[in-house]
Amino acid sequence: MGDFKLTTVEEFEAATARLLETGAKVGADSWQLRVKNQTPHCKFGEQGVCCRICSMGPCRITPKAPRGICGCDAHGIVGRNYLKFTAGGAATHSDHGREICHTLHAAAPDGAYKVKDPAKLIRIAQEWGVETEGKDIYDLAHEMAELALMEYGKPFGYQRWMSRLPEHTQKLWMDAEIAPRAIDREVASSLHMTHMGCSSKPEALVRQSIRAGLGDGWGGSMCGTEFSDVLFGTPTPIETEANLGVMNAENVNIVVHGHDPSLSEMICEYADDPEMIAYAKSLGAKGITVSGVCCTSNEVTMRRGIPMAGNFLQQENVVLTGACEAIVVDVQCIFPALGPLSKCFHTKFITTSPIAQQPDSDYIPFSVGTAAEKAKEIVKMAIDNFQNRKPELVHIPDMKQKATVGYSLEAIVKVLDGVTNSQVDVLGTTKPLLECVTSGVLRGAVAMVGCNNPKVRPDSAHIDLMKKLIANDIIIVTTGCSAQAAAKAGLMDKRAKDLCGAGLKRVCELADIPPVLHMGSCVDISRMMVLVATLAKDSGLKISQLPVVGCAPEWMSEKAVSIGNYVVGTGIDTFLGVDPYVSGSSEMAYWLTEGVRDWVEAGYTVETDIDKLCDAMIDRIEEKRAALGI
Ligand code: MSK
C-alpha cells in the first residue's frame, strides 16, 4: 500500500477540536455546543407521538392519555408525522429537479447555460417517444424541458421514468396503487391526507409515503439528475481531493454549498476566468480555490474534479479555518448558524435563492437570466474580501485524501464492461457486473447514502460500515454526505483496494476503480435506481432478488425519508441507523418493516447499533444469494 493510510475519525475530530479553539477565541457558536443545549431531546418528538396539526392541541400521547382531543391514537399521529416528513423531502428534491428543468428550458447556444451532453438528451427524448430527427438540439432541449415540467402537474397518467423499470415492478406498483402520478400531486395528496380529520390509518399513510417517495425518486429527482447531466455533462471518472486541507491559505477561498449545480457551475466558470485570477493576484493572493460542502460539492466534483472541503457537519469548519473569503449557498442543508458564525470572521455568507434566505447573509438573488453577471459579482466580492483576512485566525488543517469520483451509471457500466469488452460503446452492458456477482467474486452491493448526524458519532458509521463491507467483497456505491465521508477517509483512493476481500480487490484492479464509487449528490440516488432496474432487466431477475441493499446510517433530513421510501418502494431492503420518529407506534413499525413487503417485496430495518446493522446487511445479501442458489 506504500504510504497510503486511511484518515481516522479520531483525526477528523482532532482537527475539528483545533478549529473550535479558534472559534472560542472569537466567541463563535458551534453545533457541538448546541447539541449539548438540546440534549436530552423531547421524548414525545422522538417517538413521533406529538401532534400539532390543528389548534385544539398540541396533543401528546401517554399511557394516561392514549388519544388526542380528536380521538386519534398514537398510530395515526406517528403515521401522519411520517407522511408529512416524506412530503417535505419529496417536495424539496422535486423542486430542485424543477429548477433544473427551467434551466434547461433557458439553455441557448449563446447563453450562460448550454447543452453539454446532446447525446444524452437525444437518448432521453427517444425514450420518451419524442421525434429527434433533424431537430435543432436547443429546440429539442426546450421541448424536453416542457415535457419534464408537465410531469409535475399532469392531470392523468403516471411518471414517464417508470418505463425504465422491469415490468414486474411496474405491475407491483399498479397493483398496490403506489405508482406515482404527477409529482406535485403526490406531495399535495400527502398533505391533504395528513390534514385534521383525514387519514389516521397507518396502512394508508405508509402507502402514500411510499408513493410520494416514488414520485421523488422516479420523478423529481430523476429529472434533476438526468437534465443536470444534459446541461453540465454526464460525469466520468476524474481525480480530486477531499477534506479541509483542500483549502489553500495563499489563495482566495470560495466554498460552494447546497444542492443545485446551476449556481456553482457558474461560480466555477468565473473562478477559472484569467481576468478574475489576475485580479486575485493583484490583491496579494496566489490564485482562487473553489471547494465545496454537501451536495453542491458533489455536483461540481463529479463533473469538474472540484475538491470537497467536507460534508454536512463540516460546514461550520470551513468558516472556522479563517481562510474562507466567501461561503456561497443555494438550497438545502445550510445551517442558519453560518450567518452569525461568518460575522466572527471576515467570511461573506452569500445566499442566492429565494427558497433559502437566511439572516446575517448577503443576499444576491441568482436566476437563470442573470447567472453570468451574478456569478461574476460573487467571485469578485470574494476576491475583494481577501484583504480583510485576519492572519492570526487562519488555520487550515493539513488533512486531505485523494479520490477518484465521477461514477455516473454510464461511467460504471463503461468501466466494468470495458474490462471484458474493449469495443464498448457509450452505454455498454451490465453483464460483466452481473457475472462478478453470480460467480461470487462480488458478494453484492450496498448503496450507502445520506447525511451525518450528531446522534451518531459523525462519519464513523459510514466509514466503519464501508470498511467492513468491502472487506467482505461487497462493493459500495454512494452519494451525498456519505460519499464525502468516504472520500475524506481515503476510501475513494484506488489504493483502498488493499482493504478489500480478494474478489473485490481483483475487480478494482481489473477495472481500475476504487472500492467505493461516488455516484453524486442526493438527487443522484436516482442513478442507483436506474442501475438496479437495468441489472434486473439484464439478468431477468426481480429487483428484490438482487443481492443489493440500501443503507443510511446517519441520515437526518426529510429528504432522506423520502429517499428511503423510494428505495424500499423500488424493491431494495433499506437499513437505517437513526429511527425516523416511529418508535411510538407498533403498527407503523409493522407497516414499514413487514407490511410494505406485500406491496414491494422489500422493507426497512432500523438498528442503531452499527455493528449489528452491518451484520444484518451482510446476512440479507447472503440470504438473497442463497435464495438464488449462487
Ligand atoms: S447534502 S440531505 S446532509 S446527504 Fe445532500 Fe448531505 Fe443529507 Fe444534505
Side-chain angles (χ1 to χ4, degrees):
M1 262 205 280
D3 57 357
F4 174 67
K5 176 182 154 308
L6 291 184
T7 308
T8 64
V9 170
E10 287 74 17
E11 287 169 317
F12 294 171
E13 289 169 346
T16 298
R18 169 65 184 79
L19 291 171
L20 290 173
E21 281 173 24
T22 313
K25 281 186 208 155
V26 294
D29 192 12
S30 69
W31 66 258
Q32 289 85 349
L33 296 172
R34 295 189 298 273
V35 165
K36 285 188 188 142
N37 294 341
Q38 288 295 336
T39 308
H41 299 289
C42 166
K43 290 287 170 218
F44 299 104
E46 275 191 334
Q47 293 172 5
V49 294
C50 172
C51 182
R52 47 181 295 280
I53 65 171
C54 81
S55 71
M56 295 192 291
C59 294
R60 299 173 306 177
I61 300 303
T62 66
K64 275 192 185 159
R67 289 182 183 273
I69 291 169
C70 69
C72 191
D73 62 12
H75 309 298
I77 291 173
V78 172
R80 292 192 304 221
N81 288 338
Y82 184 82
L83 178 52
K84 271 186 185 291
F85 221 87
T86 305
T92 304
H93 272 153
S94 297
D95 210 32
H96 165 170
R98 185 193 332 256
E99 285 301 315
I100 296 295
C101 295
H102 278 293
T103 305
L104 183 66
H105 196 260
D110 53 353
Y113 296 101
K114 301 187 173 57
V115 171
K116 283 209 181 143
D117 191 342
K120 183 156 187 172
L121 177 64
I122 290 169
R123 281 204 307 278
I124 299 170
Q126 288 168 346
E127 186 183 328
W128 284 11
V130 173
E131 181 57 60
T132 59
E133 202 58 40
K135 213 171 261 178
D136 174 81
I137 201 71
Y138 284 89
D139 289 343
L140 183 62
H142 303 154
E143 185 178 347
M144 290 298 291
E146 269 192 42
L147 282 176
L149 287 164
M150 293 301 177
E151 291 299 290
Y152 285 78
K154 63 186 184 185
F156 307 108
Y158 303 96
Q159 284 302 296
R160 286 174 180 270
W161 299 114
M162 272 178 64
S163 64
R164 295 179 162 189
L165 284 156
E167 278 177 19
H168 173 76
T169 311
Q170 295 186 43
K171 181 167 183 321
L172 284 178
W173 291 4
M174 297 305 287
D175 291 349
E177 297 183 12
I178 55 170
R181 299 159 295 183
I183 298 160
D184 289 348
R185 179 175 184 182
E186 297 308 352
V187 173
S189 289
S190 299
L191 296 179
H192 189 173
M193 284 179 75
T194 57
H195 190 273
M196 193 273 149
C198 287
S199 290
S200 52
K201 192 173 161 188
E203 177 185 347
L205 293 162
V206 171
R207 198 184 290 269
Q208 180 57 24
S209 298
I210 301 289
R211 193 172 210 176
L214 291 172
D216 167 2
W218 288 90
S221 276
M222 206 165 282
C223 287
T225 294
E226 298 295 70
F227 295 119
S228 288
D229 283 356
V230 168
L231 279 165
F232 307 120
T234 303
T236 55
I238 188 168
E239 304 298 318
T240 188
E241 293 178 323
N243 217 337
L244 288 167
V246 304
M247 294 173 72
N248 185 329
E250 294 179 319
N251 285 0
V252 171
N253 285 293
I254 302 176
V255 177
V256 290
H257 174 17
H259 283 76
D260 183 339
S262 305
L263 164 74
S264 47
E265 280 284 332
M266 284 294 133
I267 297 284
C268 292
E269 288 284 331
Y270 280 97
D272 248 1
D273 182 346
E275 186 195 326
M276 286 289 149
I277 294 170
Y279 183 53
K281 287 183 175 168
S282 76
L283 294 184
K286 288 215 165 142
I288 303 172
T289 296
V290 180
S291 60
V293 170
C294 280
C295 283
T296 287
S297 174
N298 289 322
E299 296 278 355
V300 289
T301 201
M302 289 281 281
R303 299 194 178 90
R304 292 174 176 264
I306 296 290
M308 298 171 269
N311 52 3
F312 178 62
L313 287 177
Q314 231 167 308
Q315 58 185 284
E316 290 172 305
N317 289 16
V318 297
V319 180
L320 287 166
T321 62
C324 175
E325 274 58 57
I327 180 160
V328 188
V329 303
D330 49 85
V331 289
Q332 306 164 25
C333 302
I334 300 147
F335 272 0
L338 291 178
L341 178 62
S342 65
K343 298 285 175 260
C344 298
F345 292 85
H346 74 302
T347 306
K348 295 274 182 198
F349 174 41
I350 302 173
T351 49
T352 59
S353 168
I355 299 285
Q357 300 184 51
Q358 302 211 352
D360 298 316
S361 69
D362 288 292
Y363 180 46
I364 302 181
F366 183 86
S367 67
V368 173
T370 60
E373 157 200 336
K374 296 291 179 185
K376 195 168 181 183
E377 180 184 339
I378 290 168
V379 171
K380 184 167 181 302
M381 203 167 158
I383 296 171
D384 285 333
N385 198 26
F386 183 74
Q387 310 167 94
N388 298 322
R389 251 196 214 176
K390 296 177 185 130
E392 68 280 12
L393 295 181
V394 173
H395 168 74
I396 299 175
D398 181 18
M399 185 178 283
K400 62 182 175 182
Q401 288 276 9
K402 287 186 169 43
T404 306
V405 300
Y407 291 97
S408 57
L409 167 66
E410 291 86 336
I412 290 177
V413 169
K414 194 168 179 183
V415 292
L416 290 173
D417 198 19
V419 173
T420 50
N421 177 10
S422 58
Q423 298 303 310
V424 60
D425 66 9
V426 66
L427 287 180
T429 94
T430 62
K431 294 224 165 65
L433 182 52
L434 284 164
E435 276 159 25
C436 287
V437 174
T438 49
S439 66
V441 172
L442 294 181
R443 304 303 295 174
V446 172
M448 191 80 75
V449 304
C451 330
N452 49 15
N453 184 332
K455 281 187 176 162
V456 181
R457 189 179 180 187
D459 295 331
S460 67
H462 292 293
I463 294 167
D464 288 351
L465 288 170
M466 290 185 201
K467 280 164 59 182
K468 192 164 171 185
L469 292 165
I470 62 173
N472 281 278
D473 288 325
I474 293 169
I475 195 167
I476 309 289
V477 287
T478 178
T479 59
C481 290
S482 179
Q484 291 167 331
K488 288 192 299 174
L491 289 163
M492 289 178 178
D493 187 314
K494 288 177 184 170
R495 292 172 293 177
K497 68 178 172 20
D498 291 329
L499 304 169
C500 302
L504 178 54
K505 182 175 177 181
R506 184 89 186 110
V507 172
C508 291
E509 283 169 348
L510 285 172
D512 193 28
I513 56 172
V516 177
L517 300 178
H518 195 324
M519 288 193 82
S521 65
C522 297
V523 293
D524 293 339
I525 295 168
S526 63
R527 297 189 198 278
M528 297 174 174
M529 298 302 99
V530 184
L531 175 59
V532 290
T534 310
L535 286 168
K537 285 194 285 194
D538 288 353
S539 64
L541 296 171
K542 300 170 186 170
I543 291 176
S544 59
Q545 290 178 299
L546 298 170
V548 171
V549 300
C551 180
E554 305 185 25
W555 73 273
M556 64 86 205
S557 73
E558 291 172 314
K559 290 179 290 173
V561 176
S562 177
I563 292 166
N565 288 333
Y566 75 69
V567 175
V568 166
T570 301
I572 302 165
D573 285 315
T574 297
F575 294 75
L576 305 179
V578 177
D579 176 63
Y581 300 144
V582 296
S583 63
S585 164
S586 55
E587 288 186 27
M588 278 298 293
Y590 164 76
W591 280 106
L592 290 170
T593 57
E594 292 303 326
V596 65
R597 289 182 188 280
D598 288 342
W599 309 331
V600 294
E601 302 172 344
Y604 281 105
T605 298
V606 181
E607 174 56 69
T608 54
D609 179 319
I610 296 302
D611 282 333
K612 288 186 186 160
L613 188 75
C614 192
D615 292 342
M617 284 195 281
I618 295 174
D619 289 350
R620 194 76 190 100
I621 284 172
E622 292 300 333
E623 275 167 32
K624 284 176 185 256
R625 296 188 64 89
L628 289 170
I630 56 173

